[in-house]
Amino acid sequence: MPNAASLDLLMQLRRLLGEAHVLTEGDLSAYEQDWRKRTRGKALAVVRPGSTQQVADVVKACAQVGVRIVPQGGNTGLVVGGIPDATGTQVLLSLQRMNAVRQLDADNLTITVEAGCVLQNLQQAAEQAGFLFPLSLGAEGSCTIGGNLATNAGGTQVLRYGNTRELCLGLEVVTAQGEVMHGLSGLRKDNTGYDLRNLMIGSEGTLGIITAATMKLYPMPAASLTAWVAVPSVTHAVRLLGLAHQHLGSGLTGFEMMGQFALSLVDKHYPQLRVPLWQDAPYCVLLENSDSESEAHARARFEHLLELALEDGCVSDAVVAESLGQARNLWHIRESITLAQAEEGLNIKHDISVPISAIPAFVEATNALLADAIAGVRLVNFGHLGDGNLHYNVQAPEDCDTREFLRDYEDRVNTLVYQSVKHFGGSISAEHGVGSMKIDSLPDYKDPVALALMKQIKHALDPQGLLNPGRVVR
Ligand code: FAD
Ligand code: MLT
Ligand code: ZN
């Protein structure tokens, strides 16, 4: 039961936002349960402000009575960072109603959108004006640009365009005190002190609430071609990456590696997708070549690269999509691995990065350690090889009770994988963030001075600890 102070707060929030936008009853699972259905929280209320001023008003009202706030966008995060805890005392602040495109400046190559704008809608708004907004990830139909910024999301175009951080020129943010920081200038150069924009990006809602952003646009490529190739090993995949960089230059916009077991799950759960080449090779790679000249130019360069790669032996077989439809299907296969893995049952997810040069040794060593530790272990290894970022996931052995498996093995598996990542000089979170899932592991894998500075920054910006407590740093 909410106490008297909470009931007063709820009344005040209803006055500020209107009854319809302060939810306390009915099925709130879309806000309270994480995407992977691993954790369920309980909010004091789900509030849905419709403007930056309303976000600021909500934060001030909560700050006055010390009620904590969890910002949320599309709730597609994979590290349990955007749902309330189980106490029923936290306000879940959803940005979903703030979804407008505020301005597109064609000469400045920028688009300014509200935080709750769904990524796919942002991509489409750019496309309608003849531009490319290159951030692309499997959850793009429901994740929001605010969530992308808060997590500094990666996705499949990072090797050419960078993470969300690299795509952002300005932010509007509501601070933990309920003040509005106006930073939507769209400037490409501005050295007037500390970079607060980049501090907010990747802070996972712990330092401020992003309400709007000015993002970069790019010219639409004249052509974009997709190839799917089979490779004999991870070492060969890395060699192919080197060749692709050399021969496609900045035309190389995607390079995703997928292990055989990962693809077998897509084949098993979505047979209609017709996964190519997976049965005869331990890994497949999806490459994308974007070209500013023409499709013929793109095809000639791609075919030249693939001829070289076949000669070299780093590719054993290849198909190049003949149409946009075929290319979309290949990407759809790649993006379906997460869903196929979920269909297969509960699993242990990782999002690691090591230097690209260390990826083959990391995979070989960690595969061996896991095979030793768990009889029949099944590895779902796939990801953004072009960025040195793998989703090195662990599926329970066949016919085993997955809940028991998680209970008995999850901590051990995480420690084993994280230690291996550390050994190879990597990071335990390449693109998904820390959330609450990795907060307790961070002290073992993050530089202690960096972690101490992070805590000081959190304390300086949010001394009451109001914003997304229990996430990133304690
Ligand atoms: P949420 O899940 O709602 O929130 C994520 C975090 O951001 C939380 O800590 C939350 O408190 C905070 N937050 C949200 N909005 C704001 C705001 N406006 N201001 C401040 N804090 C805020 N991630 C990748 O990086 N690369 C991928 O390729 C990728 N693929 C995915 C594929 C699938 C199928 C799924 C389900 C997820 C994938 N993700 C990927 C993870 C997820 O989509 C991203 O982390 C995404 O950026 C989260 O956006 P969201 O709007 O859903 O944020
Ligand atoms: C991906 O690359 O598909 C995502 O990051 C999602 C995942 O890790 O499952
Ligand atoms: Zn990913």
Side-chain angles (χ1 to χ4, degrees), residues 248-453:
L248 300 179
S250 61
L252 180 65
T253 45
F255 196 100
E256 300 285 311
M257 184 179 79
M258 299 148 289
Q260 190 174 46
F261 181 62
L263 291 175
S264 80
L265 291 182
V266 179
D267 182 69
K268 176 175 169 187
H269 296 287
Y270 308 111
Q272 72 280 11
L273 293 181
R274 298 176 173 280
V275 183
L277 307 185
W278 68 275
Q279 267 150 323
D280 300 322
Y283 287 92
C284 287
V285 170
L286 185 57
L287 297 100
E288 188 184 73
N289 172 26
S290 300
D291 197 289
S292 56
E293 273 188 40
S294 65
E295 177 160 346
H297 188 252
R299 203 166 282 280
R301 294 185 80 188
F302 223 4
E303 282 170 0
H304 178 59
L305 166 70
L306 294 177
E307 269 166 32
L308 288 175
L310 283 159
E311 249 170 56
D312 173 273
C314 61
V315 163
S316 55
D317 205 351
V319 287
V320 180
E322 289 298 329
S323 65
L324 203 59
Q326 275 182 14
R328 283 209 182 109
N329 191 53
L330 294 176
W331 277 105
H332 190 42
I333 293 168
R334 155 63 183 91
E335 300 295 10
S336 299
I337 296 174
T338 305
L339 297 166
Q341 213 194 327
E343 289 286 335
E344 186 70 5
L346 292 173
N347 51 70
I348 305 172
K349 272 178 101 65
H350 295 120
D351 167 37
I352 63 93
S353 61
V354 296
I356 295 169
S357 49
I359 290 244
F362 165 80
V363 172
E364 192 186 343
T366 320
N367 281 2
L369 290 170
L370 283 168
D372 256 9
I374 309 164
V377 69
R378 300 183 297 165
L379 297 173
V380 183
N381 184 9
F382 69 101
H384 320 286
L385 185 69
D387 316 323
N389 171 197
L390 293 180
H391 301 303
Y392 186 84
N393 300 337
V394 176
Q395 201 86 32
E398 228 159 352
D399 301 327
C400 109
D401 181 318
T402 49
R403 290 207 176 269
E404 276 177 24
F405 174 75
L406 291 183
R407 189 195 60 209
D408 297 344
Y409 284 100
E410 188 158 22
D411 288 347
R412 269 169 68 189
V413 165
N414 285 342
T415 305
L416 187 152
V417 172
Y418 293 171
Q419 287 293 342
S420 187
V421 166
K422 188 176 182 175
H423 174 78
F424 287 99
S427 163
I428 63 166
S429 179
E431 59 171 8
H432 294 162
V434 176
S436 53
M437 262 179 64
K438 296 183 189 169
I439 191 169
D440 292 326
S441 303
L442 212 54
D444 293 332
Y445 302 100
K446 183 96 187 163
D447 175 76
V449 177
L451 196 57
L453 289 173

Side-chain angles (χ1 to χ4, degrees), residues 35 70-78 81-82 95 115 136-139 142-156 204-205 208-211 334-335 338-339 384 391 431-432 468 471:
W35 189 88
V70 180
Q72 188 184 85
N75 195 16
T76 67
L78 296 172
L95 278 299
S136 176
L137 43 134
S142 48
C143 66
T144 63
I145 193 65
N148 302 147
L149 285 156
T151 57
N152 186 28
T156 55
E204 301 182 46
I209 299 175
I210 297 167
T211 49
R334 155 63 183 91
E335 300 295 10
T338 305
L339 297 166
H384 320 286
H391 301 303
E431 59 171 8
H432 294 162
N468 218 0
R471 271 78 202 243

Side-chain angles (χ1 to χ4, degrees), residues 1-14 24 44:
M1 266 300 272
N3 60 26
S6 304
L7 289 173
D8 279 353
L9 174 66
L10 288 177
M11 267 171 52
Q12 201 186 341
L13 293 174
R14 288 196 168 102
T24 51
L44 172 66

